[in-house]
Amino acid sequence: MTAPTFEELFRNCQRTAVHLEMRDAYMKSDPAFVDWKAGKTLDPAERWADWHALVAEAVGRGVAVRRARIVSTPVSEYIRFEHAVTDGLNIAAGEAVRWLSRRQATDITLPGNDFWLFDSSLVLLNYFDGEGENMEVELTEAPEVAKLCESAFEAVWKRATPHAEFELS
């Protein structure tokens, strides 16, 4: 039996899809990041149309899609890019996004890796190399992992600042 794709996981979730990001840079070779650095105007709805459709479909059937980002301050160039495209990419698609300074996360128990948690029970762990490239994933239904990820996400979410109010420093 083959593992479900990310799209299948997203389409099959029924209540919640939450994502915790904890790195200061991802995939710096991403053409969108390269274009943004070069000063090119990005149209997130056009460039990430598949993401918009996937999230909008989930939100339309009642799934709460939330993303929390723990970031170092002052923020990295990559985080400036993420912040710049969040309105058009994530918010416009129906995600709720919050930001938390790493300094404010010191006493929160966090897993060692970024993750997606679907319906509080299915965890997709994201593994990156030291440069934020070469993502690999691992899917687990281990209850203790799901519990840790849910607890960590909710603690971060409670403390984090909504995207519209988060100021880059």
Side-chain angles (χ1 to χ4, degrees), residues 7-133:
E7 289 78 13
E8 290 169 333
L9 292 169
F10 218 91
R11 287 191 174 105
N12 290 332
C13 71
Q14 298 174 10
R15 299 177 316 281
T16 60
V18 300
H19 186 37
L20 183 59
E21 297 178 3
M22 299 180 283
R23 296 183 56 89
D24 288 319
Y26 296 89
M27 311 297 234
K28 291 188 271 185
S29 62
D30 178 350
F33 178 60
V34 172
D35 287 350
W36 177 84
K37 280 179 50 175
K40 295 181 182 177
T41 301
L42 300 179
D43 179 355
E46 179 182 311
R47 192 171 289 242
W48 294 286
D50 291 346
W51 180 250
H52 276 258
L54 185 65
V55 173
E57 186 274 329
V59 170
R61 59 187 166 78
V63 175
V65 181
R66 297 183 292 157
R67 178 184 305 253
R69 293 175 171 143
I70 299 173
V71 297
S72 297
T73 53
V75 298
S76 68
E77 182 179 37
Y78 190 89
I79 294 302
R80 288 185 185 286
F81 159 71
E82 277 194 333
H83 191 271
V85 300
T86 293
D87 279 324
L89 173 59
N90 307 98
I91 304 296
E95 283 186 70
V97 178
R98 292 188 181 181
W99 302 79
L100 183 65
S101 166
R102 193 169 312 283
R103 291 174 187 263
Q104 296 174 302
T106 300
D107 61 341
I108 298 174
T109 301
L110 299 168
N113 297 286
D114 291 8
F115 63 85
W116 277 94
L117 175 62
F118 299 97
D119 293 332
S120 301
S121 62
L122 190 58
V123 183
L124 184 68
L125 297 161
N126 302 137
Y127 302 120
F128 294 90
D129 67 18
E131 297 297 324
E133 302 283 343

